Amino acid sequence: MDRVNATTPSASSADDPARAAFAALRTPEGEQLLAELRDHDPADELATATRLRRAHPAELVSAALGQARLRQRAVAKFGAEDAYRMYFTPNGVEQATRTSVAAHRAARFAGLGVRSVADLCCGIGGDAIALARAGISVLAVDRDPLTAEVARANARALGLADLIEVRCADVTEIDTAPYDAVFVDPARRGGRGRIFDPEAYSPPLSWATAAALKAPRAALKIAPGIPHEAIGPEAEAEWISDGGDVKEAVLWYGEGFAPGAFRATLLPSGATLSAPAPLPAPPVGPVGRYLYEPDGAVIRAHLVADLVERCGGRLVDETIAYITSDEPYSSPYVTGYEITDELPFSMKRLKALLRERRIGVLTVKKRGSAVEPEELRRRMKLSGPGSATVFLTRVAGAPTMLIGHPLG
């Protein structure tokens, strides 16, 4: 078997405590411990550790408890069935793509006939797994020896080792010419936390873009907050939300994609909205009977104007992404509300109104307001059987409260 796919860590792992601990977890004793810890309560960790150390080496118990914590955290991204079979590092859990997003990206590649992908900066293998499950063979590359070993172990644990070759190497030295497509996920965290400058990514966005442009097709995973001016005209830019939360952005290059276009995709439905170029600034006008809150991916993709045009509405303020109309409008890209009250911002007036209507459950949403929702709810001293939604925002530049309830 090719050495890069060997399941036994190289001898040099003995010189690295973290790799040695990981190797111990993959022994029969380590696997038994992990199985025993699957459903353990972290609140009982001290008692659990004391009990397990009577029968197992202390270092192995510590490593198993740490891995058990990571697996529990990973369930949110990978689901319980996969998470409890996989292995993780702290950075790997934090930076890995959640399964739903990785599967969406893999499906776009597969739909264009891509059969092989060079996955550069593969991390613990989340994207490589999704690509392999879409029937794509993957070269997964990471320069960190432990991370590469974890990715290799995950491919084997999920039965995908025949489709995923893991290589520990510097991605800038990989020849990607033999592959149908390239996927790059630069590291966006450093010793001081999240990195916001794309040129401070590792590798820098400029290198990743150059690598993408050399390939027949490519995708670059980037932070959803990337400035639009940092996106070159060669890329189709897609923002992806899952369950209403924006998870990431990806730049697509090559045949089958639309250079210069901006796209918003909503998971799990798969609804996708795109425009070849930004529309003119939408109209602004008074608050109508209905208010619409666009999905975050739509806002990040600067496609709010497209929705305003579709619903025949207007913005409540030129700087606020709330859409209003006089007629109801249904779309997967917005959450709609019927507005019953529009008031100048006043804690006292809001409290009196909520008390009068016996509102005991209040949903607070805000755009363009410094008021913290939890603080507002605390000050309202809510009581009663009713419920309502309050929007703290600006209307034509003035601090305003809009009160209503969800449509449907």
Side-chain angles (χ1 to χ4, degrees):
M1 181 178 288
D2 192 312
R3 185 61 197 167
V4 296
N5 280 326
T7 57
T8 302
S10 61
S12 61
S13 65
D15 301 325
D16 182 338
R19 292 174 67 194
F22 178 63
L25 287 177
R26 301 185 65 211
T27 63
E29 184 179 11
E31 291 177 354
Q32 177 190 339
L33 267 177
L34 287 174
E36 186 175 341
L37 289 168
R38 172 175 173 138
D39 298 318
H40 97 286
D41 185 350
D44 298 330
E45 190 162 296
L46 181 58
T48 301
T50 301
R51 174 177 58 82
L52 292 176
R53 283 171 181 159
R54 297 190 188 109
H56 304 280
E59 295 82 0
L60 178 58
V61 171
S62 295
L65 284 166
Q67 189 63 221
R69 289 193 299 270
L70 294 175
R71 284 180 167 183
Q72 289 180 347
R73 286 174 55 193
V75 168
K77 285 188 174 182
F78 291 91
E81 184 177 352
D82 282 353
Y84 285 112
R85 290 189 289 165
M86 294 172 65
Y87 299 89
F88 301 95
T89 65
N91 284 341
V93 170
E94 184 69 30
Q95 298 182 26
T97 306
R98 67 175 47 225
T99 294
S100 56
V101 178
H104 163 73
R105 187 162 42 233
R108 288 201 76 183
F109 270 140
L112 292 170
V114 169
R115 309 311 303 160
S116 62
V117 170
D119 178 2
L120 308 182
C121 310
C122 69
I124 55 92
D127 280 282
I129 290 165
L131 290 164
R133 283 176 168 167
I136 298 171
S137 63
V138 185
L139 170 66
V141 184
D142 201 283
R143 68 180 180 182
D144 178 67
L146 174 60
T147 302
E149 287 181 12
V150 171
R152 190 175 296 118
N154 287 336
R156 178 163 290 276
L158 299 179
L160 299 168
D162 290 343
L163 283 169
I164 301 174
E165 173 192 344
V166 179
R167 188 178 301 173
C168 183
D170 186 330
V171 298
T172 63
E173 299 175 358
I174 297 297
D175 177 13
T176 61
Y179 298 89
D180 295 341
V182 168
F183 172 63
V184 190
D185 181 6
R188 297 184 301 280
R189 284 184 176 273
R192 297 184 178 179
R194 195 178 299 276
I195 296 171
F196 296 97
D197 177 7
E199 284 308 295
Y201 292 174
S202 179
L205 182 60
S206 57
W207 180 90
T209 301
L213 292 172
K214 294 176 185 176
R217 295 184 178 91
L220 309 183
K221 178 179 170 181
I222 55 174
I226 187 171
H228 280 218
E229 56 269 21
I231 300 171
E234 310 91 348
E236 174 190 308
E238 180 182 27
W239 281 260
I240 304 169
S241 68
D242 190 2
D245 294 328
V246 182
K247 296 302 179 183
E248 67 175 62
V250 58
L251 305 182
W252 298 96
Y253 298 84
E255 185 179 352
F257 304 112
F262 287 31
R263 178 185 297 270
T265 298
L266 283 54
L267 301 177
S269 71
T272 188
L273 179 70
S274 64
L279 291 173
V284 178
V287 177
R289 181 175 176 180
Y290 302 98
L291 189 78
Y292 306 100
E293 181 181 31
D295 184 270
V298 173
I299 297 172
R300 294 282 194 178
H302 293 187
L303 294 174
V304 173
D306 186 87
L307 289 180
V308 172
E309 186 177 80
R310 287 172 181 240
C311 75
R314 54 203 176 265
L315 297 182
V316 302
D317 185 279
E318 63 181 359
T319 64
I320 302 293
Y322 281 142
I323 303 169
T324 188
S325 71
D326 302 311
E327 300 294 333
Y329 172 70
S330 178
S331 165
Y333 307 108
V334 298
T335 302
Y337 299 82
E338 184 172 9
I339 298 303
T340 57
D341 301 88
E342 177 183 355
L343 303 168
F345 178 78
S346 166
M347 288 280 198
K348 184 176 181 180
R349 291 185 66 178
L350 179 61
K351 185 175 182 180
L353 185 148
L354 297 177
R355 180 182 298 153
E356 176 187 334
R357 296 184 184 174
R358 302 181 65 203
I359 299 298
V361 177
L362 183 67
T363 300
V364 182
K365 293 180 171 289
K366 67 168 192 169
R367 286 207 177 115
S369 172
V371 177
E372 290 300 325
E374 287 304 320
E375 173 64 13
L376 182 141
R377 272 191 288 264
R378 186 187 65 79
R379 293 178 62 178
M380 291 301 101
K381 298 181 180 178
L382 301 167
S383 177
S387 62
T389 301
V390 59
F391 296 85
L392 307 177
T393 187
R394 293 193 302 272
V395 173
T400 302
M401 304 181 300
L402 304 175
I403 300 160
H405 55 81
L407 290 174

